[in-house]
């Protein structure tokens, strides 16, 4: 690996200042994945999107981030991580400004897509920078714990920030809040961070980038339309084409000298379970946060600020768990942490089942607190596992795999579980409009129709929650079985070329 201005100290003051600077865009990228959850009723009232447009406003950002993370992780490894961070931050600021003043749903969706592309440049390079700032495994694990806490805090406080801003300003303020952080990063990053790139890592395979992004978008497009409009030729064709494209992507990676995703990493059972752990919890979290936000506001009638404040206890638990998880993992190991993660989330999700059309606030708060423990474990363990699995020059690519799981999970949660809730509403609701919010906007809505719509929405919420809980319980059982024996990945899997001592160091016990 060729370094330009390598860090002068391992985990010294400059390294921690560099970490602080990197956390700004990390917080924004994750926060913008959830900031619209409580803002959607206000945006819906202002822009009047269709049900399909409303879902794209929410998840096109996650799809853009998730589908390009691996590609930009490789770009950063090849052409410079600091350069990519600066370009991405600039584009993120431009997209945020344009989104704040979007005149219609189409423009807002386009701006969210641009922000997603920019976000995809930031996360893998930011995580890779940590492997350079903190080459010592112990300090790197603590730094990644803080990184994961910032990433998790962004997701958790996104709805809170959105609710607080909407209590005083118009809906565009949820995007303009990004600009001061972006400006500070652009000023400080060139001073505190130093360019690092790898050599002999090959070119980025454009066809793989197109196949991964196109396959994801086509697949999810089919799923969303099947849920919203029922069985028809178009969604079946697009979904099937998307799955075929993703299969082509996977096969192509196996024949490339420098693939976007090194699937050999998945031979390690702990690494595999950890990456899946990066996807499923975000799917459950995003879907339940979005649907619960509608339940609190549109069904129970709470203000957006009140709903935001109810999310604070869970956000605090999630963030704190991210910080302390590295120390806990040193004692119990990654295997046990992964198992505890999934069973905790499953139990917390089930606490949402007692919610009704007339109550459930206490159950909602309890659910966010319990699941916050599991979510916090997942964020921290996944990031450290990915970065510790490869040599430093591949850190951007490996980190991108972990963040891809998070972002795709975030988008899939709304697209798949949100579509499941939409399907239940369409089948059991009053059949006046595709969604609850659209039904509530109908003039002269009868009381019986209103009650039927609210009942159908809560049933859809319960269906999504139950499916997510079952998936987590199943993955917890799989993790318990697969990780019961010794694996190379616990507590840290090193690259095959690295000596056994490094593997011990990665456990934090050297």
């Amino acid at each position: 690996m060729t370094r330009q201005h390598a860090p002068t100290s391992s985990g010294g003051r400059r390294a921690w200042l560099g970490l602080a600077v990197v956390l700004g865009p990390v917080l924004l990228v994750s926060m913008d994945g959830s900031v619209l959850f409580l803002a959607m009723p206000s945006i819906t009232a202002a822009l009047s999107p269709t049900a399909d447009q409303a879902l794209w406003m929410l998840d096109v950002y996650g799809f853009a981030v998730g589908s390009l993370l691996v590609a930009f992780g490789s770009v950063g490894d090849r052409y410079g991580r600091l350069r990519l961070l600066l370009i991405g931050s600039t584009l993120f600021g431009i997209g945020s400004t344009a989104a704040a003043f979007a005149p219609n749903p189409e423009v807002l969706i386009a701006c969210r897509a641009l922000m997603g592309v920019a976000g995809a440049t930031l996360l893998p390079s930011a995580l890779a920078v940590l492997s350079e700032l903190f080459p010592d495994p112990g300090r790197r694990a603590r730094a990644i714990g803080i990184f994961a806490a910032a990433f998790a805090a962004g997701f958790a406080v996104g709805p809170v920030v959105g609710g607080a801003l909407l209590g005083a300003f118009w809906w565009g303020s949820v995007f303009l809040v990004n600009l001061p952080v972006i400006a500070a990063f652009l000023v400080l990053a060139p001073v505190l961070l130093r360019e690092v790139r790898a050599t002999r890592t090959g070119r980025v395979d454009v066809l793989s980038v197109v196949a991964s992004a196109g396959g994801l978008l086509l697949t999810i497009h089919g799923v969303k339309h099947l849920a919203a409009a029922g069985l028809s030729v178009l969604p079946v064709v697009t979904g099937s084409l998307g799955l075929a494209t993703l299969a082509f992507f996977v096969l192509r990676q196996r024949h490339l000298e420098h693939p976007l995703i090194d699937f050999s990493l998945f031979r390690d059972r702990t690494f595999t379970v950890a990456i899946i752990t990066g996807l499923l919890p975000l799917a459950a979290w995003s879907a339940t946060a979005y649907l619960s936000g509608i339940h609190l506001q549109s069904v129970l009638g709470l203000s957006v600020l009140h709903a935001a404040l109810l999310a604070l206890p869970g956000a605090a638990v999630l963030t704190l768990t991210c910080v302390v998880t590295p120390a806990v993992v040193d004692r119990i190991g990654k295997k046990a942490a992964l198992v505890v993660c999934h069973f905790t989330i499953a139990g917390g999700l089930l606490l949402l089942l007692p919610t009704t059309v007339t109550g459930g606030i206490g159950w909602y708060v309890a659910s966010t607190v319990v699941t916050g423990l599991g979510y916090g474990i997942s964020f921290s363990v996944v990031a450290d596992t990915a970065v510790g699995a490869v040599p430093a020059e591949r850190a951007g690519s490996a980190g991108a795999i972990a963040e891809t799981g998070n972002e795709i999970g975030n988008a899939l949660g709304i697209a798949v579980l949100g579509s499941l809730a939409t399907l239940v509403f369409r089948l059991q609701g009053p059949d006046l409009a595709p969604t609850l919010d659209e039904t509530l906007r109908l003039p002269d809505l009868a009381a019986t129709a209103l009650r039927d719509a609210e009942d159908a929405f809560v049933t859809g919420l319960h269906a999504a929650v139950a499916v997510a809980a079952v998936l987590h319980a199943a993955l917890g059982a799989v993790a318990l079985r697969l990780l019961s024996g010794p694996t190379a990945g616990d507590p840290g899997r090193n690259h095959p070329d690295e000596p056994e001592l490094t593997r011990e160091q990665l456990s934090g016990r050297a």
Side-chain angles (χ1 to χ4, degrees), residues 223-265:
V223 171
K224 289 157 67 70
H225 275 276
L226 282 173
L231 185 65
S232 63
V233 175
L234 179 61
V236 171
V237 171
T238 56
S240 300
L241 182 59
L243 291 174
T245 304
L246 290 176
F248 166 77
F249 168 77
V250 174
L251 293 175
R252 183 171 178 79
Q253 302 316 295
R254 296 181 177 181
H255 296 90
L256 292 176
E257 183 180 359
H258 303 288
L260 289 184
I261 294 181
D262 182 3
F263 284 98
S264 66
L265 292 173

Side-chain angles (χ1 to χ4, degrees), residues 403-488:
E403 299 301 341
T404 296
N406 288 334
E407 291 296 335
I408 294 299
N410 181 40
L412 283 177
I414 297 174
V416 178
L417 296 177
S419 293
L420 172 62
T422 299
L423 176 62
V424 172
F425 182 86
R426 184 170 63 84
L427 295 176
Q428 295 192 7
D431 197 23
L432 299 175
T435 65
L436 175 62
D437 283 334
E438 289 178 286
T439 302
L440 295 178
R441 294 200 304 270
L442 295 175
D444 302 322
L445 184 64
T448 54
L450 173 61
R451 184 58 181 247
D452 289 343
E454 292 176 339
D455 283 335
F457 176 82
V458 172
T459 302
L461 167 64
H462 291 168
V465 165
V467 169
V470 169
L471 290 175
H472 272 289
L475 186 54
V478 169
L480 185 62
R481 180 177 179 82
L482 291 182
L483 304 183
S484 58
T487 68

Side-chain angles (χ1 to χ4, degrees), residues 321-338:
T321 303
C322 283
V323 175
V324 303
T325 291
V328 175
V329 169
D330 280 345
R331 292 181 176 274
I332 69 174
K334 287 181 181 176
K335 302 173 187 177
L338 290 169

Side-chain angles (χ1 to χ4, degrees), residues 58-116:
L58 287 164
D59 54 28
V60 71
Y61 175 83
F63 289 133
V65 174
S67 61
L68 294 171
L69 270 172
V70 174
F72 281 126
S74 297
V75 169
D77 288 343
R78 290 161 172 80
Y79 304 117
R81 293 159 185 170
L82 177 58
R83 177 186 299 176
L84 199 61
L85 282 170
L86 295 175
I87 293 173
S89 297
T90 302
L91 290 177
F92 199 86
I94 294 172
S96 299
T97 304
F101 299 100
N104 54 55
E106 293 82 3
V107 173
L108 181 55
I109 291 171
C111 293
R112 290 277 289 169
L114 175 60
M115 293 172 65

Side-chain angles (χ1 to χ4, degrees), residues 157-320:
V157 306
V160 180
V161 172
L165 291 171
L166 289 170
F169 307 103
W170 99 113
W171 61 266
S173 61
V174 300
F175 298 110
L176 293 182
V177 71
N178 297 335
L179 299 185
V181 178
I182 291 296
F185 178 80
L186 292 175
V187 171
L188 296 175
V191 177
L192 293 174
L193 303 179
R194 294 169 176 175
E195 186 62 277
V196 182
R197 61 170 63 91
T199 58
R200 301 190 187 95
T201 53
R203 296 180 178 178
V204 175
D205 183 54
V206 177
L207 183 56
S208 293
V209 175
V210 174
S212 61
L216 284 168
L217 289 175
L218 286 171
T219 302
I220 300 307
H221 183 272
V223 171
K224 289 157 67 70
H225 275 276
L226 282 173
L231 185 65
S232 63
V233 175
L234 179 61
V236 171
V237 171
T238 56
S240 300
L241 182 59
L243 291 174
T245 304
L246 290 176
F248 166 77
F249 168 77
V250 174
L251 293 175
R252 183 171 178 79
Q253 302 316 295
R254 296 181 177 181
H255 296 90
L256 292 176
E257 183 180 359
H258 303 288
L260 289 184
I261 294 181
D262 182 3
F263 284 98
S264 66
L265 292 173
F266 290 91
R267 296 171 185 169
D268 184 289
R269 289 175 292 178
T270 302
F271 182 85
T272 300
V273 173
I275 295 303
I276 298 174
T277 299
L279 187 149
L280 187 56
L282 260 297
W285 188 89
S286 62
T288 54
Y290 168 56
L291 295 172
S292 295
I294 296 176
H295 176 253
L296 293 173
Q297 295 179 79
S298 299
V299 177
L300 299 185
L302 301 183
S303 68
V304 64
L305 181 58
H306 190 179
L309 292 176
L310 291 175
L312 282 177
V317 169
L318 193 158
T319 305
L320 180 61

